[in-house]
Amino acid sequence: LYNRGLAYYNSAPPKDTATNEKALADFQAAAKDADHPNAKDIPGYIADTLIRLGKSEDAEKAFTTAIEKNPKDGEAYLSRGALRLQFA
């Protein structure tokens, strides 16, 4: 599911709601597998996809989850901060 989610994510323009919804569903399903080899990356993709779908509050929560799973994920910190500044 992770790879299919990536395929949807990479092929979808940011405003393509239907394809981004498919990507989000696949990423959320893949996130349930804590042993997935890309488990630390999945919350960041969930957050980015939520931003594409205009769900900024959910995206902020997903970035926080990404940081909790991988405290060294500088991109998640930066993205969460930028999101907070955008809606401050």
Side-chain angles (χ1 to χ4, degrees):
L1 292 173
Y2 172 77
N3 288 333
R4 186 173 68 184
L6 276 180
Y8 285 134
Y9 179 86
N10 289 325
S11 70
K15 301 292 183 191
D16 181 349
T17 302
T19 305
N20 282 304
E21 288 282 358
K22 291 177 185 177
L24 179 61
D26 284 348
F27 289 141
Q28 288 173 329
K32 294 178 183 175
D33 179 6
D35 296 325
H36 192 284
N38 299 97
K40 67 179 180 62
D41 299 327
I42 295 171
Y45 280 110
I46 290 172
D48 287 340
T49 306
L50 287 165
I51 288 172
R52 288 178 170 197
L53 294 168
K55 300 177 180 181
S56 59
E57 288 181 23
D58 292 335
E60 183 177 351
K61 291 175 190 172
F63 281 128
T64 299
T65 299
I67 291 166
E68 290 168 353
K69 288 187 181 243
N70 183 12
K72 295 182 180 181
D73 185 353
E75 188 173 328
Y77 283 101
L78 181 63
S79 295
R80 184 179 68 177
L83 186 62
R84 286 178 176 174
L85 284 173
Q86 184 178 7
F87 294 101

